[in-house]
């Protein structure tokens, strides 16, 4: 067991010594994206494992150590961590946990403190918690986000977005079931192998891969019969994590729908842009402003290459670029509203409606104020502006029954089918 070093606030520091033999556990959210990004850190010498556990006991374990008024995602993630530590699969004296920390005003910034409190209650005081953040909130000598790592992670995000976009559009119409999933798996393997050999993450290499990936999906035999097209938006974790939304995408596929889930890159651009606007409005570090501006410009270059590649294949539909989403909410909600998903959430709903995905499930953790205000609170106004919009907000929490959630979605789908006819 490595010698434990504590910071000024008493937290355990993840040291360079720990990096050698500690396994870092990470809660899964986006299976494709996170699988690619996992290999970025494995190639850097970190021992990392994604937690894909989804047994019902995890929710009860989370409830035991987290107040039930706390955000549902925090409850699930903390429950998943504790379940892993109690499983006997890991040496708790050589295990660390990693959690995202935005540094913004959303309660998600405090998940890390709730996790440490839960670990203390459960008797795992020796387990260090690593903050994954770009805000300089916490530092650990054994873990750092270097420029090469950030570049590869950005590439992992955009590859994940592309594979998710193409996979969902092909999966709904493929003649041979499983073709899209198998091809997705092959590309994940190829991309991670390229990363292993220090290739595949430059802009030039990504452009080449984009064309090859899209061409390969375009060759999958499909039968493009009319189907209800459904978009999924909402709070970032519940929107993407199947464990949190009760396998929403699988349920929609079972209902014979085509699903569109907006990618992660747009949300990241929204968050980085918020940092830039904050400094411009309220002042702050010029160094952080320069770093955020540089990162946003790089995101835009990658986004442009992504969109140009998809545009060459009219068989596939994609949403607009990040900058084009801002005018959509003019007169609806101010772009100064950046708490949680902020103005970007209603913008995504309007984007989906404009691109033919008029039926929308807005996923939200019960008690998540930003999502209720910027998501559920905007639905009535969006329907006034876009009468064809068919939106249903669905709350997720330990007390919500899956049957009730699915019945509400089925009611939305029945309205969609009537409109099709």
């Amino acid at each position: 067991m490595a010698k434990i070093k504590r910071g000024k606030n008493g937290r355990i520091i993840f040291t360079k010594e720990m990096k050698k033999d500690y396994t870092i556990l990470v809660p899964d959210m986006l299976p494709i994206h996170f699988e690619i990004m996992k290999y970025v850190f494995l190639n850097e010498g970190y021992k990392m494992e994604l937690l894909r556990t989804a047994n019902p006991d995890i929710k009860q374990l989370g409830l035991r150590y987290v107040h039930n008024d706390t955000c549902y995602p925090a409850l699930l993630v903390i429950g998943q961590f504790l379940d892993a530590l109690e499983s006997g699969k890991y040496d708790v004296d050589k295990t660390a946990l990693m959690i995202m920390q935005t540094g913004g005003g959303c309660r998600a910034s405090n998940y890390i403190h709730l996790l440490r409190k839960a670990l203390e209650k459960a008797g795992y005081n020796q387990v260090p918690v690593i903050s994954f953040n770009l805000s300089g909130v916490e530092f650990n000598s054994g873990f750092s986000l270097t420029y090469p790592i950030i570049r590869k992670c950005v590439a992992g995000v955009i590859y994940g977005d592309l594979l998710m976009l193409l996979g969902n559009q092909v999966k709904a119409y493929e003649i041979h079931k499983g073709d899209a999933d198998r091809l997705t798996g092959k590309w994940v393997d190829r991309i991670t192998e390229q990363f292993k050999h220090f290739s595949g993450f430059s802009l030039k290499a990504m452009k080449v891969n984009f064309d090859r990936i899209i061409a390969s999906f375009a060759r999958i035999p499909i039968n493009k019969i009319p189907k209800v097209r459904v978009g999924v938006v909402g709070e970032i974790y519940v929107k993407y994590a199947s464990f949190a939304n009760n396998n929403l995408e699988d349920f929609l596929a079972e209902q014979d729908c085509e699903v569109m889930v907006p990618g992660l890159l747009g949300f990241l651009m929204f968050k980085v842009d918020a940092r830039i606007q904050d400094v411009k409005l309220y002042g702050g570090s010029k160094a952080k402003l320069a770093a955020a501006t540089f990162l946003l410009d790089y995101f835009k270059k990658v986004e442009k290459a992504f969109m140009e590649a998809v545009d060459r294949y009219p068989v596939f539909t994609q949403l607009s670029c990040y900058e084009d989403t801002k005018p959509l909410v003019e007169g609806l909600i101010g772009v100064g509203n950046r708490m949680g998903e902020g103005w970007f959430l209603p913008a995504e709903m309007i984007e989906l409606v404009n691109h033919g995905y008029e039926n929308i499930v807005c996923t939200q953790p019960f008690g998540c104020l930003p999502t209720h205000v910027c998501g559920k609170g905007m639905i009535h106004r969006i329907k006034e502006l876009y009468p064809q919009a068919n939106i249903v907000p669905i709350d997720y929490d330990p007390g919500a029954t899956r049957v009730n959630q699915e019945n509400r979605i089925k009611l939305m789908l029945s309205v969609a089918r009537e409109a099709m006819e």
Side-chain angles (χ1 to χ4, degrees), residues 68-308:
N68 62 356
D69 280 344
T70 302
C71 287
Y72 186 48
L75 187 147
L76 291 183
V77 168
I78 293 171
Q80 195 176 43
F81 277 139
L82 291 172
D83 178 72
L85 294 175
E86 291 185 357
S87 68
K89 184 179 177 182
Y90 308 98
D91 180 353
V92 295
D93 292 327
K94 291 186 178 180
T95 300
L97 312 178
M98 181 183 287
I99 192 168
M100 173 69 77
Q101 194 176 16
T102 62
C106 176
R107 285 190 289 179
S109 293
N110 295 306
Y111 289 179
I112 193 167
H113 306 298
L114 293 172
L115 174 57
R116 286 178 177 138
K117 189 175 181 181
L119 290 173
E120 186 178 346
K121 283 183 180 179
Y124 297 111
N125 289 342
Q126 75 274 39
V127 178
V129 181
I130 303 167
S131 171
F132 186 102
N133 73 86
L134 292 173
S135 307
V137 181
E138 286 189 2
F139 296 95
N140 291 276
S141 59
F143 179 83
S144 58
L145 291 174
T146 62
Y147 179 61
I149 288 178
I150 292 173
R151 281 188 67 193
K152 291 173 188 175
C153 284
V154 171
V157 167
I158 200 71
Y159 282 132
D161 282 356
L162 183 60
L163 290 170
M164 183 171 68
L165 177 84
L166 302 175
N168 280 337
Q169 291 186 48
V170 171
K171 199 182 300 183
Y173 307 100
E174 61 189 2
I175 293 173
H176 308 294
K177 290 299 177 185
D179 277 357
D181 285 339
R182 282 188 289 272
L183 187 56
T184 297
K186 287 179 181 178
W187 274 112
V188 169
D189 291 341
R190 290 178 193 175
I191 292 163
T192 53
E193 187 65 22
Q194 288 180 18
F195 282 6
K196 187 177 179 180
H197 294 92
F198 304 99
S199 64
F201 57 89
S202 69
L203 190 57
K204 183 179 179 181
M206 282 192 280
K207 288 180 179 179
V208 173
N209 278 338
F210 291 163
D211 278 324
R212 290 175 178 171
I213 292 170
I214 301 168
S216 66
F217 275 89
R219 287 193 293 269
I220 293 178
I222 61 172
N223 180 22
K224 200 73 180 278
I225 57 175
K227 290 192 176 188
V228 172
R229 305 172 90 191
V230 181
V232 178
V233 298
E235 188 274 333
I236 188 75
Y237 182 77
V238 178
K239 168 186 174 181
Y240 289 128
S242 58
F243 177 43
N245 61 36
N246 290 328
N247 297 294
L248 176 60
E249 288 184 57
D250 289 343
F251 171 73
L252 291 171
E254 290 169 4
Q255 301 301 308
D256 205 26
C257 301
E258 178 196 329
V259 182
M260 169 68 84
V261 185
L264 182 61
L265 184 66
F267 178 79
L268 296 180
M269 294 176 78
F270 159 69
K271 283 299 181 186
V272 174
D273 191 20
R275 292 285 181 269
I276 294 171
Q277 301 308 318
D278 282 344
V279 175
K280 288 181 177 179
L281 288 171
Y282 310 116
S285 168
K286 290 184 179 179
K288 286 186 178 180
L289 174 62
T293 303
F294 175 81
L295 187 57
L296 184 61
D297 288 342
Y298 182 66
F299 281 160
K300 288 179 180 178
K301 288 178 184 177
V302 175
E303 180 190 56
K304 185 173 182 287
F306 174 101
M307 299 191 73
E308 287 176 348

Side-chain angles (χ1 to χ4, degrees), residues 328-383:
L328 296 177
V329 294
E330 193 171 327
L332 180 70
I333 186 172
V335 292
N337 189 324
R338 299 191 292 276
M339 194 71 70
E341 284 64 40
W343 64 264
F344 192 62
L345 176 51
E348 279 192 326
M349 286 194 270
I350 296 171
E351 267 281 276
L352 287 165
V353 172
N354 286 340
H355 285 83
Y357 295 86
E358 298 160 354
N359 312 291
I360 299 170
V361 179
C362 182
T363 64
Q364 47 194 46
F366 181 75
C368 175
L369 190 59
T371 316
H372 278 66
V373 172
C374 302
K376 190 174 184 178
M378 294 291 109
I379 292 174
H380 179 72
R381 181 66 177 138
I382 290 173
K383 286 183 176 181

Side-chain angles (χ1 to χ4, degrees), residues 301-319:
K301 288 178 184 177
V302 175
E303 180 190 56
K304 185 173 182 287
F306 174 101
M307 299 191 73
E308 287 176 348
V310 178
D311 280 343
R312 287 192 283 273
Y313 293 82
V315 67
F316 297 115
T317 301
Q318 66 175 325
L319 303 181

Side-chain angles (χ1 to χ4, degrees), residues 34-84:
F34 279 29
E35 183 67 19
I36 296 172
M37 287 190 282
K38 178 184 77 174
Y39 281 91
V40 173
F41 292 98
L42 290 176
N43 294 337
E44 293 289 331
Y46 296 97
K47 296 169 69 177
M48 187 171 286
E49 187 172 326
L50 291 177
L51 295 177
R52 301 190 188 276
T53 46
N55 63 73
D57 294 337
I58 288 175
K59 295 179 183 178
Q60 296 306 314
L61 193 57
L63 280 170
R64 192 187 309 167
Y65 293 100
V66 182
H67 196 281
N68 62 356
D69 280 344
T70 302
C71 287
Y72 186 48
L75 187 147
L76 291 183
V77 168
I78 293 171
Q80 195 176 43
F81 277 139
L82 291 172
D83 178 72

Side-chain angles (χ1 to χ4, degrees), residues 384-404:
E384 285 182 347
L385 297 171
Y386 302 88
Q388 71 273 36
N390 180 25
I391 309 171
V392 58
I394 302 294
D395 287 341
Y396 291 88
D397 74 356
T401 64
R402 182 169 183 166
V403 172
N404 182 52

